[in-house]
Amino acid sequence: MSNILFSHSYYYQLDPKQWKNKMPFPPLGTLYAASLLRNNGYTVSLFDTNLIKSPVTILPIIKKTSPKYLVIYDDGFNYLTKMCLTNMRNACFEMIQIGKKENCIVIVSSSDATDHYKEYLDKGADFIIQGEGEITLLELINAIENNQLVEQLSGIVYKNNTEIQVNSKRTVLVNLDELPLPAWDLVNMESYQSIWKQSNREFTLNIATTRGCPYKCNWCAKPIYGNRYNAHSPEYIVKEIAFLKEKFGVSRFWMCDDIFGLKPNWVQEFRRELDKKQLKISYFIQSRVDLLLKDDTIDALAKSGIEEVWVGAESASQKILDAMDKGTKVEEIYEATRLLKHKKIKVAFFLQFGYLTENKEDIRKTIAMVNELQPDNIGISVSYPLPGTSFYEKVKDDLKLKANWTDSDDFEMMFQGSYSSAFYRKLQRFVHKEFRKSQGFRNLKSILHKPSNFTFEKLKSIIKLGYYVPSALVDRLSLKLSGNES
């Protein structure tokens, strides 16, 4: 059967902040699609752009393999792809044009192409897949191979002569276990391991146990997996873990679900399945503070090997959380953090500044929460309007000059918020300094209390107090966050 060259349009080297971290993850969504097509008789290969510098490097691969299809299938489990960064969009446009010059049928599946299909079709793409893509892709290629019409095929957009044809939406896949395990063998795992060594972190692979998120935070877009929540069985996931551990020697995993463990008793069953297979792993997840407080969730996570939980804290202002339709309470952030720490589980906060109506008192509350709760890590962003959200609808008239960041460190305020882009860029640096400052003092106190707690890493953070203390003070005064200014 016909050759399919799979690729995607996220290039870590075109996103300097992420490349600097040296912790790249393989394109999991792409691997799912490639596996399904291969299981249905197609010859598949992968041009993995994650570690590549330029789209032009795909040209010799196309010339060598002569694929009939170039499928640019983005990893929808990578939250960065939802941001539709212009560096990646332009790279995808270039890949489309290269594919067309080499007579490939070009098919694109991504968040950005779902939202902006006209631009992708104008660049030469033959078909855009909207939403969850594996089954749609299989049906589309089967139809082309059998010279069948595609007018009634759900989930695609294409040009019918000069008119754009948008077909009906695809029904989401409910039983995720119908999908074969991702095609991990297509990945050059040694190249990933080599990059990870530079981070001084244990090599980690990404696994998705679920798809979608049923919560309705009004700034969060779900162009691929939607406002639903379907889960693989614990047996499926443990089978995948066992394979990855045996094949690549991996014992640490990033569970890249939007929300991990929402299905009742899933975490508890997962732990039992790991015990049954005698698998010892460590992993980290994203979750919600209200979910973590349900039943024995934190206890079950601790027993199954959890290392760290990233929670969408966002803000310590209840006014802002309510404006976001977050559905959580500030006191839940405090309680979940306390319980996680009690179980020796690391806790990390996603923080978001710049939401509509935010003032300096809201900002001060969030900084105070970070200093008081002392999470193990933080990630900071400013509010980012994504198509398909009610937040986007509120600010879309402000997006005439710029609607997407260039890369993930852009930090441009693309709408008329309370403060300027320069303010929020400085705020991001300041909050990180405050965080590092609190870490340094905590480590100093720990060593003074018990000298055996000494590590060179802790010593380094204490020494850096000589920079962070005065620098943070200067930033605080510059940002006018010391008093009651609004």
Side-chain angles (χ1 to χ4, degrees):
M1 296 180 76
S2 296
N3 289 348
I4 306 172
L5 176 60
F6 277 89
S7 190
H8 58 101
S9 63
Y10 188 76
Y11 291 70
Y12 276 88
Q13 295 196 55
L14 297 182
D15 195 345
K17 176 183 176 181
Q18 303 304 324
W19 183 243
K20 182 180 178 182
N21 292 336
K22 302 300 181 187
M23 295 186 292
F25 292 105
L28 180 58
T30 317
L31 301 181
Y32 266 111
S35 179
L36 180 65
L37 271 292
R38 184 169 62 185
N39 268 28
N40 280 271
Y42 292 97
T43 301
V44 305
S45 56
L46 174 67
F47 177 74
D48 185 0
T49 66
N50 272 340
L51 312 182
I52 300 296
K53 289 183 179 180
S54 168
V56 299
T57 51
I58 197 174
L59 180 56
I61 304 298
I62 293 177
K63 286 185 176 295
K64 180 180 178 181
T65 59
S66 300
K68 180 175 180 179
Y69 302 93
L70 171 59
V71 177
I72 305 172
Y73 195 107
D74 274 7
D75 178 15
F77 300 109
N78 179 352
Y79 78 95
L80 293 164
T81 67
K82 288 199 295 187
M83 298 173 74
C84 308
L85 304 170
T86 56
N87 278 351
M88 311 310 167
R89 176 186 292 166
N90 292 334
C92 189
F93 287 168
E94 190 170 350
M95 294 168 72
I96 291 169
Q97 290 165 342
I98 290 171
K100 290 311 297 176
K101 285 180 181 177
E102 297 301 316
N103 300 311
C104 297
I105 296 173
V106 178
I107 303 169
V108 183
S109 172
S110 71
S111 296
D112 196 39
T114 292
D115 292 332
H116 302 285
Y117 52 79
K118 182 180 185 301
E119 288 90 329
Y120 283 79
L121 292 172
D122 287 345
K123 290 296 180 181
D126 295 287
F127 297 95
I128 305 301
I129 292 177
Q130 294 197 303
E132 190 175 35
E134 293 96 342
I135 305 302
T136 302
L137 177 64
L138 176 61
E139 291 185 3
L140 173 59
I141 291 183
N142 282 344
I144 296 171
E145 290 290 290
N146 295 314
N147 295 313
Q148 296 173 345
L149 298 177
V150 297
E151 279 82 352
Q152 301 304 315
L153 202 157
S154 298
I156 62 170
V157 182
Y158 59 99
K159 281 188 176 180
N160 189 354
N161 296 319
T162 58
E163 295 294 318
I164 293 178
Q165 176 71 38
V166 182
N167 286 5
S168 61
K169 291 185 177 180
R170 163 84 46 184
T171 303
V172 299
L173 180 63
V174 175
N175 181 11
L176 301 185
D177 287 2
E178 291 178 12
L179 295 172
L181 290 179
W184 289 104
D185 57 291
L186 297 180
V187 176
N188 182 349
M189 206 62 76
E190 290 183 358
S191 65
Y192 280 88
Q193 291 168 328
S194 176
I195 299 295
W196 271 80
K197 282 180 181 178
Q198 299 175 44
S199 74
N200 295 316
R201 302 285 186 96
E202 181 182 351
F203 181 57
T204 304
L205 282 177
N206 45 331
I207 292 178
T209 73
T210 64
R211 295 187 176 190
C213 174
Y215 295 96
K216 301 186 186 300
C217 305
N218 60 35
W219 44 265
C220 183
K222 305 177 179 75
I224 301 300
Y225 299 116
N227 202 203
R228 43 71 87 93
Y229 190 85
N230 294 313
H232 282 292
S233 68
E235 292 82 5
Y236 180 103
I237 297 301
V238 170
K239 178 183 176 182
E240 184 174 9
I241 288 171
F243 169 79
L244 294 173
K245 194 165 186 177
E246 180 180 354
K247 179 76 173 175
F248 304 113
V250 183
S251 295
R252 186 172 185 261
F253 300 94
W254 161 231
M255 303 300 192
C256 55
D257 313 40
D258 287 341
I259 300 290
F260 178 84
L262 176 59
K263 188 176 179 181
N265 295 315
W266 194 97
V267 175
Q268 291 83 345
E269 292 173 17
F270 176 59
R271 177 182 64 81
R272 286 192 289 270
E273 196 66 22
L274 287 171
D275 289 344
K276 189 189 304 181
K277 301 295 184 183
Q278 297 183 323
L279 290 171
K280 299 293 183 184
I281 65 167
S282 62
Y283 66 100
F284 56 112
I285 66 170
Q286 297 178 137
S287 190
R288 288 171 54 97
V289 290
D290 54 348
L291 174 60
L292 291 167
L293 295 175
K294 289 184 178 179
D295 303 322
D296 62 339
T297 298
I298 291 178
D299 189 51
L301 287 169
K303 290 177 180 177
S304 63
I306 192 74
E307 174 186 321
E308 184 175 46
V309 178
W310 280 84
V311 297
E314 315 303 353
S315 174
S317 167
Q318 193 61 52
K319 178 193 82 175
I320 296 298
L321 294 180
D322 292 344
M324 292 176 169
D325 295 324
K326 181 72 182 178
T328 56
K329 303 293 183 185
V330 173
E331 54 265 30
E332 292 173 330
I333 302 172
Y334 278 75
E335 180 64 7
T337 300
R338 183 188 68 79
L339 291 173
L340 288 166
K341 289 191 171 190
H342 179 70
K343 287 291 184 179
K344 310 298 183 187
I345 299 171
K346 291 180 180 179
V347 58
F349 292 168
F350 288 117
L351 302 173
Q352 181 180 160
F353 293 107
Y355 199 82
L356 296 169
T357 76
E358 179 181 73
N359 58 37
K360 289 186 179 178
E361 179 58 26
D362 301 317
I363 294 170
R364 280 192 286 267
K365 287 178 180 179
T366 301
I367 295 169
M369 178 179 72
V370 171
N371 288 335
E372 181 179 351
L373 295 182
Q374 296 189 350
D376 295 276
N377 207 346
I378 57 173
I380 300 173
S381 186
V382 296
S383 299
Y384 189 88
L386 290 168
T389 65
S390 58
F391 174 52
Y392 178 91
E393 292 301 314
K394 291 177 183 178
V395 302
K396 65 181 180 182
D397 290 341
D398 293 342
L399 306 179
K400 294 182 175 66
L401 295 177
K402 186 171 183 178
N404 298 97
W405 285 353
T406 302
D407 57 56
S408 64
D409 203 30
D410 188 324
F411 257 69
E412 181 77 18
M413 284 289 289
M414 295 180 293
F415 60 96
Q416 186 60 50
S418 299
Y419 309 103
S420 68
S421 296
F423 175 90
Y424 284 110
R425 289 190 180 108
K426 181 173 282 190
L427 177 64
Q428 179 211 24
R429 294 191 294 270
F430 168 64
V431 176
H432 275 291
K433 289 173 186 177
E434 282 286 302
F435 172 66
R436 297 302 176 193
K437 188 177 77 174
S438 67
Q439 273 191 329
F441 281 122
R442 181 176 60 188
N443 290 333
L444 177 60
K445 182 179 178 181
S446 170
I447 292 172
L448 290 175
H449 176 71
K450 189 176 180 181
S452 61
N453 288 334
F454 174 87
T455 66
F456 284 106
E457 196 67 31
K458 288 182 178 180
L459 177 61
K460 192 189 303 182
S461 75
I462 293 168
I463 292 172
K464 287 182 177 179
L465 286 172
Y467 165 73
Y468 285 126
V469 170
S471 181
L473 177 60
V474 170
D475 284 353
R476 182 183 289 273
L477 294 173
S478 174
L479 291 164
K480 298 182 179 180
L481 289 172
S482 297
N484 296 315
E485 306 93 334
S486 61

